[in-house]
Amino acid sequence: MKIAVLVSGGGTNLQAIIDNIKSGYLEGIEISLVIASNDSAYALTRAADNGIKSAVIPVKAFDSRDEWDDAMVKAIKDSGAELVVLAGYLTLLGKKLTHEYSNRIINIHPALIPSFCGAGMYGIKPHEAVLAKGVKISGATVHFVNENYDDGPIILQEAVGVLPDDTPEILQKRIMKECEQVIMPKAIRLIADGKIEIKNNITYVKE
């Protein structure tokens, strides 16, 4: 199965996918395209280092979001990707793309949805909010994507304890390593194997 990976920053989750392909866990998975929202994303270097085709498609390069939406759909279609993976992608997708790839776009969010999610909750911000609220457990969520922030059916979640001496940066790194980089490859594997079923906006893992 070919996948397109959308990125905005360092690409640590992209690297986790690449590593899982190389290890054989994601056997049969090919990253056919990496799309970055800006040309300074280090994820583009990771793609180049691994011989993966990439493109930079920023919203600001187009006269309208509709034109940008069309360009995104075309790039992904041309790559042959069957699944779109948002790995630290910070731009809200357009309606054409979300409709064209309905239930074929997944995202990793660095918190346990429905808590600490939605517009503005990205990067370090969910971890800051978690610590400010004093919750005792946080983690990450992989979910399907629709046209609203963090609103699609949840696929997998993984939790870690919030420790008394955590800073937002320490918590972010632990969740990235122990949650995000574990459940994103697992979700891709389940989808590729046809083991995810959606009923009434709820996902079920088939045996």
Side-chain angles (χ1 to χ4, degrees):
M1 181 179 74
K2 291 183 177 181
I3 66 174
V5 181
L6 278 53
V7 297
S8 291
T12 52
N13 285 318
L14 168 64
Q15 189 64 54
I17 297 168
I18 292 170
D19 292 344
N20 276 275
I21 291 173
K22 289 181 176 180
S23 74
Y25 177 71
L26 289 179
E27 182 180 1
I29 305 298
E30 174 192 346
I31 302 174
S32 59
L33 180 64
V34 168
I35 297 178
S37 60
N38 62 85
D39 59 11
S40 63
Y42 184 70
L44 292 167
T45 299
R46 296 182 190 272
D49 288 347
N50 288 276
I52 300 169
K53 182 181 176 182
S54 65
V56 180
I57 309 179
V59 175
K60 63 183 181 181
F62 297 87
D63 292 333
S64 69
R65 284 188 67 90
D66 278 347
E67 290 182 16
W68 167 74
D69 201 2
D70 287 336
M72 292 287 286
V73 171
K74 183 178 188 307
I76 293 168
K77 274 189 171 183
D78 289 350
S79 78
E82 301 169 64
L83 178 71
V84 180
V85 177
L86 276 55
Y89 188 71
L90 303 181
T91 303
L92 184 66
L93 298 181
K95 290 184 178 181
K96 293 177 184 177
L97 180 55
T98 55
H99 289 171
E100 182 73 30
Y101 288 86
S102 177
N103 294 331
R104 291 189 292 151
I105 306 173
I106 63 174
N107 178 54
I108 185 81
H109 181 72
L112 297 174
I113 293 173
S115 297
F116 307 105
C117 65
M121 279 291 177
Y122 61 88
I124 199 71
K125 294 179 182 180
H127 308 295
E128 292 173 339
V130 161
L131 293 177
K133 189 66 177 178
V135 301
K136 307 309 179 189
I137 296 173
S138 191
T141 304
V142 179
H143 63 95
F144 285 107
V145 173
N146 56 28
E147 61 268 24
N148 302 311
Y149 282 115
D150 306 324
D151 187 52
I154 292 169
I155 304 168
L156 294 171
Q157 292 183 301
E158 186 72 25
V160 296
V162 179
L163 305 178
D165 58 349
D166 273 340
T167 65
E169 292 77 16
I170 290 172
L171 183 59
Q172 180 183 45
K173 288 179 181 178
R174 189 162 72 255
I175 287 175
M176 194 175 292
K177 183 178 179 180
E178 298 182 19
C179 301
E180 296 180 36
Q181 294 174 8
V182 173
I183 60 175
M184 177 60 91
K186 186 176 180 181
I188 294 170
R189 181 76 275 162
L190 289 170
I191 292 168
D193 292 343
K195 292 187 175 181
I196 297 294
E197 185 176 15
I198 303 173
K199 294 181 180 178
N200 299 320
N201 211 43
I202 296 175
T203 63
Y204 298 89
V205 178
K206 296 186 287 186
E207 296 296 331

